[in-house]
Amino acid sequence: MPGIELHSGWLDDVAAIAISGGSPITLAVCQDLHGVQQAREWLQSAIPSLTEAHVNEVPASSLQARLQTHPSLECRTVWCVYDAAEGSSEELQARWRELNLLRDWLTDTLRSHEPRASLVFLTTVTRMPEISRHAPDLLAVAQVITVSEDSFAVDPSDTSMVDSFRRGCIELEARYGMSTSELVRRLLDREPTGVPEPDLSRWRSLSEALREVLE
């Protein structure tokens, strides 16, 4: 699968998915912490301009409490976790292990909000290997979008990360009766896939991240 380019991976993609009502959890993978800050500022202005939606920024440590106590709003809420990639390796490990345990609770809670809420974690390319090791279950259900110039790819030697992303593909393969390689072939040949959005968007992102593994 050399040279595959399946997902543009810009901030407008993050905003569109966050407000689409599809995948409730998105990881926006930025080049560095400066890119995280730019994404943070851009989402604050872009999302309300696209639809009737409100962006609430929240540190990871307060996420569960805020989701539990936040009253229903008249418009869709996008929760932006701005410090998801900050801190030492020990802090990152503790943060993402806790988030991993909260996967089902986060998904159910976001979908139960009326109107539905969504969650965007702002991360960086350099912290993704650590994040994937400590939160494989969360990444298996999340939409991962690269918003840096260097498209994020899973290191084939990082077995825990490969397994995490493969789990997401396996789920979609079973749902639509098609392998990931076949999906990529159809996309490259501009053939119909029969996969609706947002599953198609999520599957494209997973396949792009696994491109060095699937070659």
Side-chain angles (χ1 to χ4, degrees):
M1 256 171 50
I4 182 171
E5 294 182 3
L6 296 178
H7 200 65
S8 59
W10 300 109
L11 285 170
D12 54 353
D13 296 306
V14 178
I17 289 171
I19 62 179
S20 68
S23 178
I25 300 174
T26 302
L27 269 74
V29 186
C30 305
Q31 182 67 34
D32 49 31
L33 290 178
H34 177 67
V36 166
Q37 181 59 34
Q38 289 181 317
R40 185 176 172 184
E41 295 172 357
W42 191 89
L43 292 174
Q44 278 283 5
S45 61
I47 287 177
S49 70
L50 292 172
T51 188
E52 292 185 1
H54 180 71
V55 179
N56 277 349
E57 293 190 334
V58 59
S61 59
S62 302
L63 179 60
Q64 186 175 17
R66 292 283 298 278
L67 287 176
Q68 284 176 326
T69 60
H70 191 73
S72 296
L73 295 177
E74 294 182 359
C75 63
R76 184 176 181 85
T77 303
V78 177
W79 296 90
C80 180
V81 182
Y82 56 83
D83 64 347
E86 295 180 6
S88 65
S89 293
E90 292 76 14
E91 291 169 332
L92 197 78
Q93 173 179 320
R95 177 185 305 131
W96 283 94
R97 281 188 172 177
E98 181 177 357
L99 290 168
N100 193 57
L101 293 173
L102 289 173
R103 184 196 76 167
D104 292 340
W105 183 89
L106 286 170
T107 302
D108 292 343
T109 300
L110 291 166
R111 285 177 172 160
S112 69
H113 281 203
E114 188 58 43
R116 285 189 179 184
S118 59
L119 179 60
V120 177
F121 291 101
L122 298 179
T123 68
T124 62
V125 171
T126 56
R127 304 314 289 267
M128 278 301 292
E130 295 174 273
I131 290 170
S132 68
R133 281 193 293 272
H134 303 310
D137 298 323
L138 182 63
L139 263 65
V141 301
Q143 172 87 38
V144 180
I145 300 178
T146 301
V147 293
S148 68
E149 294 181 359
D150 298 325
S151 180
F152 172 72
V154 172
D155 183 346
S157 66
D158 191 334
T159 56
S160 63
M161 180 180 278
V162 170
D163 289 345
S164 176
F165 278 76
R166 277 195 185 279
R167 285 171 59 189
C169 286
I170 289 170
E171 172 198 324
L172 293 163
E173 288 172 346
R175 183 178 303 169
Y176 296 103
M178 175 171 46
S179 69
T180 299
S181 295
E182 174 61 15
L183 173 81
V184 171
R185 186 196 67 76
R186 292 187 188 186
L187 289 169
L188 290 175
D189 291 343
R190 300 186 181 280
E191 296 179 7
T193 66
V195 181
E197 294 285 356
D199 281 350
L200 180 59
S201 179
R202 179 178 169 225
W203 205 348
R204 288 188 305 179
S205 294
L206 287 167
S207 66
E208 182 178 344
L210 286 169
R211 61 187 180 275
E212 294 183 9
V213 179
L214 298 174
E215 289 178 359

PDB file of all heavy atoms in Angstrom, residues 82-97:
ATOM      1  N   TYR A  82      -7.417  19.493  26.034  1.00  0.00           N
ATOM      2  CA  TYR A  82      -6.265  20.183  25.468  1.00  0.00           C
ATOM      3  C   TYR A  82      -4.922  19.717  26.020  1.00  0.00           C
ATOM      4  O   TYR A  82      -3.872  20.014  25.447  1.00  0.00           O
ATOM      5  CB  TYR A  82      -6.400  21.689  25.693  1.00  0.00           C
ATOM      6  CG  TYR A  82      -6.575  22.071  27.152  1.00  0.00           C
ATOM      7  CD1 TYR A  82      -5.486  22.209  27.997  1.00  0.00           C
ATOM      8  CD2 TYR A  82      -7.850  22.279  27.678  1.00  0.00           C
ATOM      9  CE1 TYR A  82      -5.640  22.558  29.331  1.00  0.00           C
ATOM     10  CE2 TYR A  82      -8.022  22.623  29.003  1.00  0.00           C
ATOM     11  CZ  TYR A  82      -6.919  22.758  29.837  1.00  0.00           C
ATOM     12  OH  TYR A  82      -7.080  23.088  31.161  1.00  0.00           O
ATOM     13  N   ASP A  83      -4.911  19.009  27.148  1.00  0.00           N
ATOM     14  CA  ASP A  83      -3.646  18.603  27.763  1.00  0.00           C
ATOM     15  C   ASP A  83      -3.379  17.109  27.619  1.00  0.00           C
ATOM     16  O   ASP A  83      -2.591  16.538  28.368  1.00  0.00           O
ATOM     17  CB  ASP A  83      -3.627  18.987  29.243  1.00  0.00           C
ATOM     18  CG  ASP A  83      -4.688  18.264  30.057  1.00  0.00           C
ATOM     19  OD1 ASP A  83      -5.603  17.655  29.452  1.00  0.00           O
ATOM     20  OD2 ASP A  83      -4.605  18.298  31.311  1.00  0.00           O
ATOM     21  N   ALA A  84      -4.016  16.464  26.633  1.00  0.00           N
ATOM     22  CA  ALA A  84      -3.921  15.012  26.491  1.00  0.00           C
ATOM     23  C   ALA A  84      -2.498  14.524  26.224  1.00  0.00           C
ATOM     24  O   ALA A  84      -2.167  13.377  26.514  1.00  0.00           O
ATOM     25  CB  ALA A  84      -4.842  14.543  25.370  1.00  0.00           C
ATOM     26  N   ALA A  85      -1.641  15.390  25.654  1.00  0.00           N
ATOM     27  CA  ALA A  85      -0.274  14.980  25.304  1.00  0.00           C
ATOM     28  C   ALA A  85       0.785  15.631  26.193  1.00  0.00           C
ATOM     29  O   ALA A  85       1.977  15.518  25.927  1.00  0.00           O
ATOM     30  CB  ALA A  85       0.012  15.320  23.846  1.00  0.00           C
ATOM     31  N   GLU A  86       0.368  16.296  27.245  1.00  0.00           N
ATOM     32  CA  GLU A  86       1.318  17.012  28.095  1.00  0.00           C
ATOM     33  C   GLU A  86       1.811  16.135  29.251  1.00  0.00           C
ATOM     34  O   GLU A  86       1.194  15.135  29.593  1.00  0.00           O
ATOM     35  CB  GLU A  86       0.660  18.278  28.656  1.00  0.00           C
ATOM     36  CG  GLU A  86       0.296  19.299  27.591  1.00  0.00           C
ATOM     37  CD  GLU A  86      -0.352  20.539  28.188  1.00  0.00           C
ATOM     38  OE1 GLU A  86      -0.402  20.643  29.425  1.00  0.00           O
ATOM     39  OE2 GLU A  86      -0.836  21.383  27.413  1.00  0.00           O
ATOM     40  N   GLY A  87       2.936  16.551  29.851  1.00  0.00           N
ATOM     41  CA  GLY A  87       3.432  15.912  31.055  1.00  0.00           C
ATOM     42  C   GLY A  87       4.528  14.891  30.805  1.00  0.00           C
ATOM     43  O   GLY A  87       4.907  14.601  29.670  1.00  0.00           O
ATOM     44  N   SER A  88       5.027  14.332  31.901  1.00  0.00           N
ATOM     45  CA  SER A  88       6.072  13.313  31.837  1.00  0.00           C
ATOM     46  C   SER A  88       5.491  11.987  31.362  1.00  0.00           C
ATOM     47  O   SER A  88       4.269  11.826  31.248  1.00  0.00           O
ATOM     48  CB  SER A  88       6.685  13.122  33.225  1.00  0.00           C
ATOM     49  OG  SER A  88       5.704  12.586  34.122  1.00  0.00           O
ATOM     50  N   SER A  89       6.365  11.020  31.097  1.00  0.00           N
ATOM     51  CA  SER A  89       5.899   9.698  30.678  1.00  0.00           C
ATOM     52  C   SER A  89       5.017   9.067  31.748  1.00  0.00           C
ATOM     53  O   SER A  89       4.014   8.412  31.433  1.00  0.00           O
ATOM     54  CB  SER A  89       7.091   8.786  30.385  1.00  0.00           C
ATOM     55  OG  SER A  89       7.803   9.240  29.247  1.00  0.00           O
ATOM     56  N   GLU A  90       5.385   9.287  33.026  1.00  0.00           N
ATOM     57  CA  GLU A  90       4.583   8.733  34.121  1.00  0.00           C
ATOM     58  C   GLU A  90       3.202   9.369  34.171  1.00  0.00           C
ATOM     59  O   GLU A  90       2.197   8.681  34.364  1.00  0.00           O
ATOM     60  CB  GLU A  90       5.305   8.935  35.457  1.00  0.00           C
ATOM     61  CG  GLU A  90       6.584   8.124  35.626  1.00  0.00           C
ATOM     62  CD  GLU A  90       7.757   8.682  34.843  1.00  0.00           C
ATOM     63  OE1 GLU A  90       7.669   9.850  34.379  1.00  0.00           O
ATOM     64  OE2 GLU A  90       8.760   7.956  34.677  1.00  0.00           O
ATOM     65  N   GLU A  91       3.142  10.684  33.970  1.00  0.00           N
ATOM     66  CA  GLU A  91       1.857  11.382  33.977  1.00  0.00           C
ATOM     67  C   GLU A  91       1.001  10.954  32.784  1.00  0.00           C
ATOM     68  O   GLU A  91      -0.217  10.748  32.920  1.00  0.00           O
ATOM     69  CB  GLU A  91       2.089  12.897  33.956  1.00  0.00           C
ATOM     70  CG  GLU A  91       2.681  13.439  35.239  1.00  0.00           C
ATOM     71  CD  GLU A  91       3.145  14.879  35.104  1.00  0.00           C
ATOM     72  OE1 GLU A  91       3.505  15.291  33.978  1.00  0.00           O
ATOM     73  OE2 GLU A  91       3.155  15.589  36.121  1.00  0.00           O
ATOM     74  N   LEU A  92       1.648  10.816  31.627  1.00  0.00           N
ATOM     75  CA  LEU A  92       0.915  10.401  30.437  1.00  0.00           C
ATOM     76  C   LEU A  92       0.357   8.989  30.614  1.00  0.00           C
ATOM     77  O   LEU A  92      -0.784   8.710  30.257  1.00  0.00           O
ATOM     78  CB  LEU A  92       1.839  10.455  29.225  1.00  0.00           C
ATOM     79  CG  LEU A  92       1.131  10.454  27.864  1.00  0.00           C
ATOM     80  CD1 LEU A  92       0.587  11.842  27.559  1.00  0.00           C
ATOM     81  CD2 LEU A  92       2.082  10.014  26.751  1.00  0.00           C
ATOM     82  N   GLN A  93       1.174   8.117  31.182  1.00  0.00           N
ATOM     83  CA  GLN A  93       0.737   6.745  31.408  1.00  0.00           C
ATOM     84  C   GLN A  93      -0.484   6.694  32.319  1.00  0.00           C
ATOM     85  O   GLN A  93      -1.486   6.030  32.000  1.00  0.00           O
ATOM     86  CB  GLN A  93       1.867   5.934  32.039  1.00  0.00           C
ATOM     87  CG  GLN A  93       1.460   4.532  32.457  1.00  0.00           C
ATOM     88  CD  GLN A  93       2.624   3.765  33.056  1.00  0.00           C
ATOM     89  OE1 GLN A  93       3.762   3.843  32.590  1.00  0.00           O
ATOM     90  NE2 GLN A  93       2.355   2.988  34.102  1.00  0.00           N
ATOM     91  N   ALA A  94      -0.415   7.399  33.446  1.00  0.00           N
ATOM     92  CA  ALA A  94      -1.530   7.396  34.396  1.00  0.00           C
ATOM     93  C   ALA A  94      -2.788   7.973  33.756  1.00  0.00           C
ATOM     94  O   ALA A  94      -3.892   7.445  33.948  1.00  0.00           O
ATOM     95  CB  ALA A  94      -1.145   8.184  35.642  1.00  0.00           C
ATOM     96  N   ARG A  95      -2.642   9.055  33.015  1.00  0.00           N
ATOM     97  CA  ARG A  95      -3.784   9.719  32.391  1.00  0.00           C
ATOM     98  C   ARG A  95      -4.494   8.794  31.404  1.00  0.00           C
ATOM     99  O   ARG A  95      -5.713   8.616  31.448  1.00  0.00           O
ATOM    100  CB  ARG A  95      -3.319  10.982  31.673  1.00  0.00           C
ATOM    101  CG  ARG A  95      -4.424  11.716  30.912  1.00  0.00           C
ATOM    102  CD  ARG A  95      -3.846  12.892  30.124  1.00  0.00           C
ATOM    103  NE  ARG A  95      -3.101  13.784  30.988  1.00  0.00           N
ATOM    104  CZ  ARG A  95      -1.874  14.239  30.731  1.00  0.00           C
ATOM    105  NH1 ARG A  95      -1.253  13.878  29.618  1.00  0.00           N
ATOM    106  NH2 ARG A  95      -1.259  15.039  31.563  1.00  0.00           N
ATOM    107  N   TRP A  96      -3.724   8.179  30.504  1.00  0.00           N
ATOM    108  CA  TRP A  96      -4.334   7.389  29.455  1.00  0.00           C
ATOM    109  C   TRP A  96      -4.781   6.009  29.922  1.00  0.00           C
ATOM    110  O   TRP A  96      -5.711   5.433  29.352  1.00  0.00           O
ATOM    111  CB  TRP A  96      -3.400   7.306  28.260  1.00  0.00           C
ATOM    112  CG  TRP A  96      -3.449   8.593  27.481  1.00  0.00           C
ATOM    113  CD1 TRP A  96      -2.616   9.665  27.603  1.00  0.00           C
ATOM    114  CD2 TRP A  96      -4.427   8.953  26.509  1.00  0.00           C
ATOM    115  NE1 TRP A  96      -3.009  10.673  26.768  1.00  0.00           N
ATOM    116  CE2 TRP A  96      -4.109  10.267  26.074  1.00  0.00           C
ATOM    117  CE3 TRP A  96      -5.527   8.315  25.957  1.00  0.00           C
ATOM    118  CZ2 TRP A  96      -4.872  10.931  25.120  1.00  0.00           C
ATOM    119  CZ3 TRP A  96      -6.283   8.970  25.004  1.00  0.00           C
ATOM    120  CH2 TRP A  96      -5.952  10.265  24.587  1.00  0.00           C
ATOM    121  N   ARG A  97      -4.159   5.480  30.945  1.00  0.00           N
ATOM    122  CA  ARG A  97      -4.668   4.229  31.510  1.00  0.00           C
ATOM    123  C   ARG A  97      -6.049   4.453  32.127  1.00  0.00           C
ATOM    124  O   ARG A  97      -6.941   3.608  31.997  1.00  0.00           O
ATOM    125  CB  ARG A  97      -3.699   3.677  32.559  1.00  0.00           C
ATOM    126  CG  ARG A  97      -2.502   2.962  31.957  1.00  0.00           C
ATOM    127  CD  ARG A  97      -1.668   2.276  32.997  1.00  0.00           C
ATOM    128  NE  ARG A  97      -0.640   1.439  32.401  1.00  0.00           N
ATOM    129  CZ  ARG A  97       0.274   0.759  33.090  1.00  0.00           C
ATOM    130  NH1 ARG A  97       0.274   0.824  34.419  1.00  0.00           N
ATOM    131  NH2 ARG A  97       1.160   0.016  32.469  1.00  0.00           N
TER     132      ARG A  97
END
